[in-house]
Amino acid sequence: MRKNIVAGNWKMNLLPEEGVDLVKSIIELDRPNDVVSIVCPSFTHLHAIREVLNDQSQIHLGAQDCSTHDSGAYTGQISAPMLKSLGAEYVILGHSERRAYQGESDELIREKTINALHHDLQVIYCCGETEDIRIAGNYIEHVLSQIKKAIFNLEETQIQRITIAYEPVWAIGTGKVATPDQAQEMHAAIRKSVANHYGEKIANSMSILYGGSCKPSNAKEIFSNPDVDGGLIGGAALKPADFVALHHSF
Ligand code: 13P
């Protein structure tokens, strides 16, 4: 049985103390215990947030990126061992905002993924097409090609530590959400491609998340699709009631 997951990508929002307050508010609200909760704040917040989490809080900590290197002359970069030592369990890699603003290539994301897995982090690997590609009609090929280049080189034990997040770029922060059919079509294609490469068993145990303007008012319809196992959430993850409501949307 694969896991249902709600992961919050806070992006570059909130001061550390505001992040701590947000997590405290999430902890106070009732969540189903069969849904995995993950919060991914800025690097600067990880330590303070780790301090307020314990076994009872049932919230996992993730970061939003990491370097391909372990240490060295890489000003401004953060390494996987640093994240691990701060208590992060997950890292988001390949987010479209990093592809667009930091020029990250599939090749770089592949190297980051290998390094993060090597240091025992679980990876939330993001993929998704732009609006132009959606309109041109080759969106499935595009997304499958991203996945193939970045993660299909992994070994079986490694791929099982990957969660894929399908985030159509045209839906991120725009209020334009993919229809349940659009999400299901892509998620099914992704799962089939994982099955072709790694076998049905691994494909069926992989959680595939949807991201892009997902909020309590549209999540139920999206999450009810057979191949959608939850969401990677931006804006709505900054509001405790909305973030928790998403856990009740399966
Ligand atoms: P929004 O939910 O704000 O559209 O962001 C989605 C996202 O990019 C999560 O990684």
Side-chain angles (χ1 to χ4, degrees):
M1 265 287 280
R2 56 184 181 254
K3 289 180 247 164
N4 285 331
I5 299 174
V6 176
N9 173 10
W10 294 3
K11 309 193 180 185
M12 197 176 73
N13 289 298
L14 307 177
L15 296 173
E17 57 272 29
E18 293 168 331
V20 166
D21 287 346
L22 172 53
V23 163
K24 284 183 178 165
S25 305
I26 295 167
I27 291 170
E28 275 166 22
L29 296 166
D30 196 37
R31 274 170 295 131
N33 40 25
D34 57 350
V35 178
V36 177
S37 284
I38 306 168
V39 293
C40 303
S42 297
F43 298 128
T44 42
H45 304 26
L46 288 168
H47 177 72
I49 291 174
R50 177 84 266 164
E51 296 279 287
V52 296
L53 298 180
N54 56 34
D55 285 350
Q56 275 89 58
S57 41
Q58 292 293 330
I59 294 179
H60 300 271
L61 191 59
Q64 297 174 20
D65 182 42
C66 75
S67 174
T68 54
H69 305 285
D70 289 355
S71 63
Y74 303 103
T75 302
Q77 294 198 36
I78 309 283
S79 72
M82 291 172 185
L83 297 180
K84 245 338 241 193
S85 93
L86 283 171
E89 298 160 82
Y90 290 84
V91 62
I92 297 172
L93 293 176
H95 194 280
S96 63
E97 286 152 13
R98 293 203 61 86
R99 293 179 194 255
Y101 307 139
Q102 268 74 36
E104 291 198 359
S105 63
D106 293 316
E107 170 66 14
L108 182 79
I109 297 159
R110 185 175 75 85
E111 284 178 38
K112 288 185 173 188
T113 302
I114 291 169
N115 195 253
L117 291 170
H118 177 72
H119 290 288
D120 207 26
L121 289 163
Q122 301 202 51
V123 172
I124 301 175
Y125 165 77
C126 303
C127 53
E129 81 286 0
T130 59
E131 185 146 52
D132 285 354
I133 294 171
R134 168 73 44 181
I135 291 165
N138 57 334
Y139 48 93
I140 291 185
E141 293 92 308
H142 176 82
V143 168
L144 297 186
S145 145
Q146 287 180 321
I147 292 176
K148 190 170 165 214
K149 287 186 206 146
I151 59 174
F152 277 4
N153 59 306
L154 298 174
E155 294 176 6
E156 277 192 13
T157 50
Q158 294 176 309
I159 197 81
Q160 294 180 65
R161 309 189 56 246
I162 301 271
T163 298
I164 295 180
Y166 167 57
E167 301 204 305
V169 179
W170 47 270
I172 296 178
T174 58
K176 237 197 251 180
V177 66
T179 65
D181 287 349
Q182 285 173 325
Q184 172 58 23
E185 180 190 35
M186 184 63 83
H187 283 230
I190 292 171
R191 198 177 304 286
K192 187 160 170 244
S193 173
V194 175
N196 288 341
H197 206 84
Y198 291 102
E200 294 282 341
K201 192 160 172 247
I202 287 179
N204 286 332
S205 64
M206 177 183 276
S207 299
I208 305 177
L209 312 183
Y210 168 80
S213 299
C214 189
K215 44 184 189 276
S217 59
N218 57 35
K220 256 203 174 98
E221 266 198 313
I222 297 174
F223 293 177
S224 68
N225 283 294
D227 288 298
V228 180
D229 309 304
L232 180 57
I233 313 298
L238 301 173
K239 299 178 198 143
D242 284 4
F243 186 64
V244 170
L246 290 164
H247 293 68
H248 295 280
S249 301
F250 290 92

